[in-house]
Coordinates of all heavy atoms in Angstrom, one line a residue:
R45 N -75.8 27.4 136.2 CA -75.9 28.9 136.4 C -76.9 29.5 135.4 O -77.1 30.7 135.4 CB -74.6 29.5 136.3 CG -73.7 29.1 137.4 CD -72.3 29.8 137.3 NE -71.7 29.2 136.1 CZ -70.4 29.1 135.9 NH1 -69.6 29.5 136.8 NH2 -69.9 28.6 134.8
L46 N -77.4 28.8 134.4 CA -78.3 29.4 133.4 C -79.7 29.6 134.1 O -80.2 28.8 134.8 CB -78.5 28.5 132.2 CG -77.2 28.2 131.4 CD1 -77.5 27.2 130.3 CD2 -76.7 29.5 130.8
S47 N -80.2 30.8 133.8 CA -81.6 31.1 134.2 C -82.6 30.3 133.5 O -82.3 29.7 132.5 CB -81.9 32.6 134.0 OG -82.0 32.9 132.6
D48 N -83.8 30.3 133.9 CA -84.9 29.6 133.2 C -85.0 30.1 131.7 O -85.2 29.3 130.8 CB -86.2 29.7 133.9 CG -86.3 28.9 135.2 OD1 -85.5 28.0 135.3 OD2 -87.2 29.2 136.0
E49 N -84.9 31.4 131.5 CA -85.0 32.0 130.2 C -83.8 31.5 129.3 O -83.9 31.1 128.2 CB -85.0 33.5 130.2 CG -85.0 34.2 128.9 CD -85.0 35.7 129.0 OE1 -86.0 36.2 129.6 OE2 -84.1 36.3 128.4
Q50 N -82.6 31.5 129.9 CA -81.4 31.0 129.2 C -81.5 29.5 128.9 O -81.1 29.0 127.9 CB -80.2 31.3 130.0 CG -79.8 32.8 130.0 CD -78.7 33.0 131.0 OE1 -78.6 32.5 132.1 NE2 -77.7 33.9 130.5
L51 N -82.1 28.7 129.8 CA -82.3 27.3 129.6 C -83.3 27.1 128.4 O -83.1 26.2 127.6 CB -82.9 26.6 130.8 CG -82.0 26.4 132.0 CD1 -82.7 25.8 133.2 CD2 -80.8 25.5 131.6
D52 N -84.3 28.0 128.3 CA -85.2 27.9 127.1 C -84.4 28.1 125.8 O -84.6 27.4 124.8 CB -86.3 28.9 127.2 CG -87.3 28.7 128.3 OD1 -87.4 27.5 128.8 OD2 -88.0 29.6 128.7
L53 N -83.5 29.1 125.8 CA -82.7 29.4 124.6 C -81.7 28.2 124.3 O -81.6 27.9 123.2 CB -81.9 30.7 124.8 CG -82.8 32.0 124.9 CD1 -81.9 33.1 125.4 CD2 -83.5 32.3 123.6
Y54 N -81.1 27.7 125.4 CA -80.2 26.6 125.2 C -80.9 25.4 124.7 O -80.4 24.7 123.7 CB -79.5 26.3 126.5 CG -78.4 25.3 126.4 CD1 -77.3 25.5 125.6 CD2 -78.5 24.1 127.0 CE1 -76.3 24.6 125.4 CE2 -77.5 23.1 126.9 CZ -76.4 23.4 126.1 OH -75.4 22.4 125.9
E55 N -82.1 25.1 125.2 CA -82.8 23.9 124.8 C -83.2 24.1 123.3 O -83.1 23.1 122.5 CB -84.1 23.8 125.6 CG -84.8 22.4 125.5 CD -85.7 22.2 126.6 OE1 -86.2 23.1 127.3 OE2 -86.1 21.0 126.8
A56 N -83.5 25.3 122.9 CA -83.8 25.5 121.4 C -82.6 25.3 120.6 O -82.7 24.7 119.5 CB -84.4 26.9 121.3
L57 N -81.4 25.7 121.1 CA -80.2 25.4 120.3 C -80.0 23.9 120.2 O -79.5 23.5 119.1 CB -79.0 26.0 121.0 CG -78.9 27.6 121.0 CD1 -77.7 28.0 121.8 CD2 -78.7 28.0 119.5
L58 N -80.3 23.1 121.2 CA -80.1 21.7 121.1 C -81.0 21.0 120.1 O -80.7 19.9 119.6 CB -80.3 21.0 122.5 CG -79.2 21.4 123.5 CD1 -79.6 20.7 124.9 CD2 -77.8 21.1 123.1
D59 N -82.0 21.7 119.7 CA -83.0 21.2 118.7 C -82.5 21.5 117.2 O -83.0 20.9 116.3 CB -84.4 21.8 118.8 CG -85.1 21.2 120.1 OD1 -84.7 20.1 120.5 OD2 -85.9 21.9 120.6
I60 N -81.4 22.3 117.1 CA -80.9 22.6 115.8 C -79.9 21.5 115.4 O -79.2 20.9 116.2 CB -80.1 23.9 115.8 CG1 -81.1 25.0 116.2 CG2 -79.4 24.2 114.5 CD1 -80.5 26.4 116.5
T61 N -79.9 21.2 114.1 CA -79.0 20.1 113.6 C -77.5 20.4 113.9 O -77.1 21.6 113.9 CB -79.1 19.9 112.1 OG1 -78.7 21.0 111.4 CG2 -80.6 19.5 111.7
D62 N -76.7 19.4 114.1 CA -75.3 19.6 114.4 C -74.6 20.3 113.3 O -73.8 21.2 113.5 CB -74.6 18.2 114.6 CG -74.9 17.6 115.9 OD1 -75.4 18.3 116.8 OD2 -74.6 16.4 116.1
R63 N -74.9 19.9 112.1 CA -74.2 20.5 110.9 C -74.5 22.0 110.9 O -73.5 22.8 110.7 CB -74.7 19.9 109.6 CG -73.9 20.3 108.4 CD -74.2 19.5 107.2 NE -74.0 18.1 107.4 CZ -72.8 17.4 107.3 NH1 -71.8 18.1 107.0 NH2 -72.7 16.1 107.5
D64 N -75.7 22.5 111.0 CA -76.0 23.9 111.0 C -75.4 24.6 112.2 O -74.7 25.6 112.0 CB -77.5 24.1 111.0 CG -78.2 23.8 109.8 OD1 -77.6 23.7 108.7 OD2 -79.4 23.6 109.8
L65 N -75.5 24.1 113.4 CA -75.0 24.7 114.5 C -73.5 24.8 114.5 O -72.9 25.9 114.8 CB -75.5 24.0 115.8 CG -75.3 24.7 117.1 CD1 -75.9 26.1 117.1 CD2 -75.9 23.8 118.2
L66 N -72.8 23.8 114.1 CA -71.4 23.8 114.0 C -70.9 24.8 113.0 O -69.9 25.6 113.2 CB -70.8 22.4 113.6 CG -69.3 22.3 113.6 CD1 -68.6 22.6 114.9 CD2 -68.9 20.9 113.1
S67 N -71.6 24.9 111.8 CA -71.2 25.9 110.8 C -71.3 27.3 111.3 O -70.4 28.2 110.9 CB -72.0 25.7 109.5 OG -73.3 26.1 109.7
W68 N -72.2 27.6 112.1 CA -72.4 28.9 112.7 C -71.3 29.2 113.8 O -70.7 30.2 113.8 CB -73.8 29.1 113.4 CG -74.9 28.9 112.4 CD1 -74.9 29.2 111.1 CD2 -76.2 28.5 112.7 NE1 -76.1 28.8 110.5 CE2 -77.0 28.4 111.5 CE3 -76.8 28.1 113.9 CZ2 -78.3 28.0 111.5 CZ3 -78.1 27.6 113.9 CH2 -78.8 27.6 112.7
I69 N -71.1 28.2 114.6 CA -70.1 28.4 115.7 C -68.7 28.6 115.2 O -68.0 29.4 115.7 CB -70.2 27.2 116.7 CG1 -71.5 27.2 117.5 CG2 -69.0 27.1 117.7 CD1 -71.8 26.0 118.3

Side-chain angles (χ1 to χ4, degrees):
R45 294 178 294 208
L46 295 177
S47 68
D48 288 338
E49 180 180 299
Q50 289 173 317
L51 286 174
D52 291 342
L53 294 171
Y54 186 63
E55 195 165 20
L57 287 174
L58 293 180
D59 290 335
I60 297 171
T61 66
D62 284 345
R63 186 169 306 276
D64 288 341
L65 194 52
L66 182 61
S67 69
W68 302 331
I69 290 172

